[in-house]
Amino acid sequence: MPAPIIFLDFDDVLAETRAPRLTALRDALAADGVEFSDETFDDACAGLSFAGAARAAIRRANVAGRFADETTIELAALRASRAFGESAARGLPLARGVAAFVRGAAGIARLGIVTRAPRRDVDLVLSFSGLADSFECVVAAEDYTGPEPAGDPFDAAIGRMARGRPVTIGEGIALVASLNAVAAARAARLHPIVVGPVSPALAFAGDGYLASLEGTTVRDLLRLAAGAGVR
């Protein structure tokens, strides 16, 4: 039996990033007079690049004119990315249970990271955690600049894995923590499994739900992906 393929999102699956990402985006948009709620961030912005998140927040705020101009959005994204990068440099905590899960799964499954976070931030966390060698590939923000959400980043990761060994499309798993990431995983014909303390709507948006990866095995994920239910 081929080794299962499991992709982890960086944001709130590998590392606890919601609070610093929310603060960075909110402060960046506040400089242009744009405000948004925590709910807007969770529903529309999480799982996107900072530019995509800024665009979504502005759209939800129904702000037009120069605030919705692409140059303004890109400048806000740069401010947010810089602020979040400073948080990452100080150290981001790993999500509960993820270190043990990754170490246990690395010898059984083929692991990858697919994220809209900047590569530098992912590399910092992997370096601090000692988990870098567990992942076969990392697809980060710099690797894809098309529309969001889309399955293309996952497709790119699958393509990289396929260079080494054949990959069976439609049988991979994506561990995600946002509605946008669920949509992207489905577009790539992966099984999205939602992880973390999330809203009921998000918990039931995937093919399964885990409150955390603590105590979770590859077998647990395969059972969820097969439709065994919610844990």
Side-chain angles (χ1 to χ4, degrees):
M1 177 181 176
I5 291 176
I6 301 173
F7 295 115
L8 285 75
D9 196 349
F10 174 71
D11 291 316
D12 298 315
V13 175
L14 182 67
E16 294 181 1
T17 67
R18 180 185 180 276
R21 280 186 66 85
L22 173 58
T23 298
L25 184 64
R26 179 168 280 155
D27 290 349
L29 288 177
D32 291 318
V34 178
E35 299 180 353
F36 62 92
S37 66
D38 290 11
E39 291 74 17
T40 291
F41 178 83
D42 291 333
D43 293 345
C45 304
L48 301 179
S49 66
F50 277 116
R55 196 174 293 110
I58 289 170
R59 186 166 55 247
R60 282 291 189 97
N62 198 27
V63 178
R66 72 173 183 85
F67 299 108
D69 177 81
E70 283 300 311
T71 299
T72 300
I73 289 171
E74 291 297 334
L75 289 174
L78 286 173
R79 291 194 295 269
S81 181
R82 187 182 307 116
F84 181 76
E86 292 170 357
S87 296
R90 290 192 295 270
L92 295 170
L94 293 180
R96 184 161 63 96
V98 72
F101 168 76
V102 168
R103 293 189 180 104
I108 302 170
R110 301 173 68 184
L111 304 180
I113 295 174
V114 176
T115 178
R116 293 300 317 206
R119 181 174 294 276
R120 66 167 190 271
D121 301 330
V122 179
D123 287 345
L124 273 174
V125 170
L126 290 178
S127 175
F128 291 157
S129 67
L131 298 176
D133 291 341
S134 299
F135 294 98
E136 192 170 327
C137 72
V138 175
V139 172
E142 296 83 352
D143 299 310
Y144 177 70
T145 57
E148 303 175 62
D152 301 63
F154 285 108
D155 290 335
I158 292 169
R160 291 183 187 182
M161 285 190 169
R163 295 172 192 165
R165 284 178 282 165
V167 171
T168 302
I169 304 299
E171 296 184 2
I173 292 170
L175 302 179
V176 298
S178 69
L179 289 169
N180 285 312
V182 168
R186 289 203 188 283
R189 292 183 288 169
L190 296 168
H191 295 287
I193 294 177
V194 178
V195 181
V198 301
S199 68
L202 175 52
F204 286 95
D207 290 351
Y209 169 70
L210 295 164
S212 78
L213 289 174
E214 190 169 30
T216 299
T217 66
V218 171
R219 182 175 294 180
D220 294 331
L221 297 183
L222 293 174
R223 188 168 60 245
L224 284 173
V230 176
R231 170 180 165 183

